[in-house]
Amino acid sequence: MMGKKVLFCVVLFVMASCVQAGLMPLVNPSFENTSGTDEVSIIDWWDSKSYTTTKAEDGTAVPLTPYGENWGQLGNGRWMYQQIGTYEENMVLDISFLLGQPTDKIVAGLEVELFAGGDASLADNVGTKRDNAAFPLDSVVGAVQIATSGNIDPFTDPDTAPVMRTQEMFVHLSTGTAGAGYAVGDPLWLLFSRPSVAGKALIDNVQVPEPATMILLGVGALGFLRRKRK
Ligand SMILES: [Ca+2]
Ligand SMILES: [Ca+2]
């Protein structure tokens, strides 16, 4: 009986390890790393350089954040991405972040996307907009968009009077099944971008928890049910 229990635990551990192989820890997810050489852009993320920056909270024009002292800020058509792991099929990612609106511009929309595939060594900071044909994640890196949140904006202020505020955001995206241009084991990318309209989005505390926890719970419940039946 004891041996069976240990074996069951080992099986759970191995299964959890397998699932976790798909994701890697985010780098600078709270934008607190502001040192380095690319001051006009966002450290540790690949980004669109101009109108893409780390922004310090001040409580007057830029809302305070509970996650350190800094935000990542995207302007008109701007973007940032990083590799978050390797592609696996049907991973449901519960992506969360804090969205902020400054006093000088409305958010007017933000898109959260997953890309898969491409050559990670070709990733770079490039000063072009998301809707430009030269947007590099697909045209240079060679990755393929596999999921998108669509354009999201929880704030509905009129253009003339943006109000400083924050909102916790939750986006659920699935990696689906492998398709043309990418395969299991290829790079998996997380991209934030704004549409090509006037506005600013402040982003902080980006989190992509391991989906393994849910699967582990599921397997555990299965084991519990099986045991009850005996
Ligand atoms: Ca922060
Ligand atoms: Ca950068």
Side-chain angles (χ1 to χ4, degrees):
M1 191 63 192
M2 199 60 201
K4 258 190 178 176
K5 214 171 190 177
V6 169
L7 183 67
F8 185 61
C9 288
V10 169
V11 168
L12 278 183
F13 178 75
V14 170
M15 288 187 78
S17 301
C18 286
V19 174
Q20 287 185 341
L23 291 187
M24 54 174 72
L26 288 178
V27 184
N28 199 17
S30 186
F31 309 99
E32 296 305 309
N33 181 8
T34 58
S35 62
T37 51
D38 64 340
E39 290 160 358
V40 296
S41 64
I42 297 171
I43 309 296
D44 298 328
W45 292 72
W46 303 113
D47 65 77
S48 47
K49 302 209 280 195
S50 54
Y51 302 100
T52 309
T53 187
T54 303
K55 198 77 180 172
E57 65 176 5
D58 62 20
T60 310
V62 178
L64 299 176
T65 170
Y67 309 108
E69 300 168 348
N70 298 283
W71 299 83
Q73 176 178 279
L74 299 180
N76 183 338
R78 301 296 158 171
W79 48 265
M80 61 176 169
Y81 71 80
Q82 66 174 267
Q83 185 178 353
I84 61 169
T86 53
Y87 179 80
E88 308 232 348
E89 292 188 316
N90 299 314
M91 272 197 293
V92 178
L93 303 181
D94 295 323
I95 300 157
S96 64
F97 58 97
L98 185 68
L99 178 66
Q101 178 168 278
T103 54
D104 64 336
K105 287 276 196 281
I106 57 168
V107 168
L110 180 71
E111 191 166 353
V112 186
E113 297 165 78
L114 296 177
F115 276 68
D119 181 347
S121 71
L122 298 177
D124 201 357
N125 303 306
V126 181
T128 188
K129 289 187 177 183
R130 170 70 184 93
D131 63 358
N132 192 295
F135 172 67
L137 183 52
D138 46 20
S139 73
V140 176
V141 176
V144 177
Q145 186 208 56
I146 58 170
T148 177
S149 66
N151 201 37
I152 51 178
D153 177 16
F155 309 137
T156 53
D157 296 316
D159 291 10
T160 49
V163 174
M164 188 175 66
R165 64 174 89 182
T166 64
Q167 171 79 47
E168 294 282 357
M169 303 292 289
F170 303 91
V171 175
H172 308 275
L173 297 177
S174 171
T175 60
T177 51
Y182 61 99
V184 170
D186 280 355
L188 178 66
W189 311 90
L190 173 65
L191 169 72
F192 288 88
S193 72
R194 279 202 60 257
S196 283
V197 295
K200 281 180 186 172
L202 297 163
I203 299 165
D204 201 5
N205 191 40
V206 180
Q207 295 196 326
V208 187
E210 291 286 349
T213 313
M214 294 303 289
I215 290 166
L216 191 61
L217 282 174
V219 172
L222 201 69
F224 181 74
L225 285 175
R226 284 188 60 159
R227 202 185 268 179
K228 263 199 132 175
R229 265 194 200 162
K230 281 178 184 174

